[in-house]
Amino acid sequence: MKISLGQKILSRNEECAQKNREFFKKHKILCLNVISSPGAGKTSLLVRTIQDLKDQLKIGVIEGDLETDNDARKILAAGAAAFQIETKGACHLSAEQVQNALKMIEAEKMDLVFIENVGNLVCPSAFDLGESKRVVILSIPEGDDKPAKYPGTFAGASVVLINKIDLLAHIEFNLQRVLADIRTVNPTAQILQLSAAVGEGMQNWYNWLKEQIEK
Amino acid sequence: MHETMVAENILRAIVEQAEKIGTRPLSAVISCGQFNTLNDEIMQFAFDAAAAGTVCEGMTLKIKHIPLRATCRQCKLMFEFDLYNPHCPGCRREEFDFEPDAPLLLEEIEFEEPK
């Protein structure tokens, strides 16, 4: 005997994400879900952003990592509130984990909350965390085939940051190909080229952040 | 391997239905889109692991992969988009508008007939 359901499988995550979204709206918080491969520079980007903007904005960071609190310690040292979620092997964060972490950093006092997702270009994109916008980072040394190989992740981005752009002169990397591949699956995303390590292009990123906060 | 979390969610939903119906579930059909797709073998593996020792142990999952529809901005052809070969099959251009991608759904469960 068969029964038809047509039921959303991730409905629990979606309900929780919706609560997070309402929380961000109520407290006028811009929440960004930051997704990239391991080593693309998520933490470095956040550290530099916090150092440069902490006098203007109250910033909190939720860190997702398999193990260790190294990243959270770097964020605290930079001058923002931080809470580390150790996923113990899980390859992505869930909305429920974020909901708990929001309490730990007293997110209601923040202007800007970053969720640094687990380094992975596949799984995190399947889980809505209730974020206001999604940021995907791609770095030059990873190679120029990433948007073509992981189209689902790039399709969901509001902004794509091409990090470590200072290395472009030293590495074979077809920037035009990358821009075209991102456009193919995501015609509307902002694409910014920058280097969190040397500071190049960071002002465009800060301008984008401030525009989103003012909206 | 987000299939693990998907498996736990499917399992919970099937157990809930099995309690209402009162017989053993045999198989289920789930469907997914292209951007957040599931790998068939990993999905079954993750489900088997989650279902061990429950009423769902031994169930088979069938995964329907729902195509993503796109329209070419150039020649207006509507076609099933291949994420790994992103060209218009008509004019080979690479600019498209997409229909919404299919969500992850538990479509159907088959149960043993009541005795």
Side-chain angles (χ1 to χ4, degrees), chain A residues 106-122:
Chain A
E106 300 186 319
E108 61 279 4
K109 298 176 184 165
M110 306 291 166
D111 303 305
L112 175 58
V113 171
F114 289 107
I115 302 167
E116 182 178 338
N117 219 313
V118 180
N120 178 336
L121 276 181
V122 183

Side-chain angles (χ1 to χ4, degrees), chain B residues 22-79:
Chain B
T23 65
R24 209 166 65 90
L26 302 172
S27 63
V29 179
I30 59 182
S31 63
C32 65
Q34 298 293 312
F35 283 140
N36 294 312
T37 190
L38 296 170
N39 175 292
D40 292 21
E41 284 101 45
I42 295 176
M43 191 61 239
Q44 183 70 50
F45 177 81
F47 184 79
D48 288 348
T54 75
V55 66
C56 297
E57 188 164 336
M59 278 183 76
T60 48
L61 293 182
K62 182 172 184 296
I63 303 173
K64 283 201 295 186
H65 294 269
I66 311 291
L68 177 67
R69 309 280 306 171
T71 305
C72 176
R73 287 195 177 172
Q74 190 68 22
C75 71
K76 306 295 176 200
L77 181 72
M78 198 186 209
F79 62 101

Side-chain angles (χ1 to χ4, degrees), chain A residues 58-150:
Chain A
K58 289 194 278 299
I59 304 175
V61 179
I62 296 169
E63 284 285 340
D65 250 317
L66 302 181
E67 299 274 350
T68 81
D69 62 352
N70 298 351
D71 287 355
R73 282 193 270 118
K74 286 182 203 165
I75 297 292
L76 285 170
F83 182 76
Q84 181 86 39
I85 300 168
E86 283 185 41
T87 65
K88 302 291 180 198
C91 49
H92 60 88
L93 290 175
S94 71
E96 197 170 359
Q97 290 171 318
V98 168
Q99 193 174 44
N100 297 332
L102 288 170
K103 292 181 195 129
M104 303 305 291
I105 60 167
E106 300 186 319
E108 61 279 4
K109 298 176 184 165
M110 306 291 166
D111 303 305
L112 175 58
V113 171
F114 289 107
I115 302 167
E116 182 178 338
N117 219 313
V118 180
N120 178 336
L121 276 181
V122 183
C123 308
S125 71
F127 296 89
D128 182 6
L129 304 179
E131 72 269 20
S132 329
K133 302 271 171 181
R134 201 168 273 197
V135 180
V136 175
I137 307 178
L138 162 69
S139 67
I140 299 292
E142 287 169 66
D144 53 19
D145 58 352
K146 290 297 170 290
K149 279 191 178 167
Y150 303 93

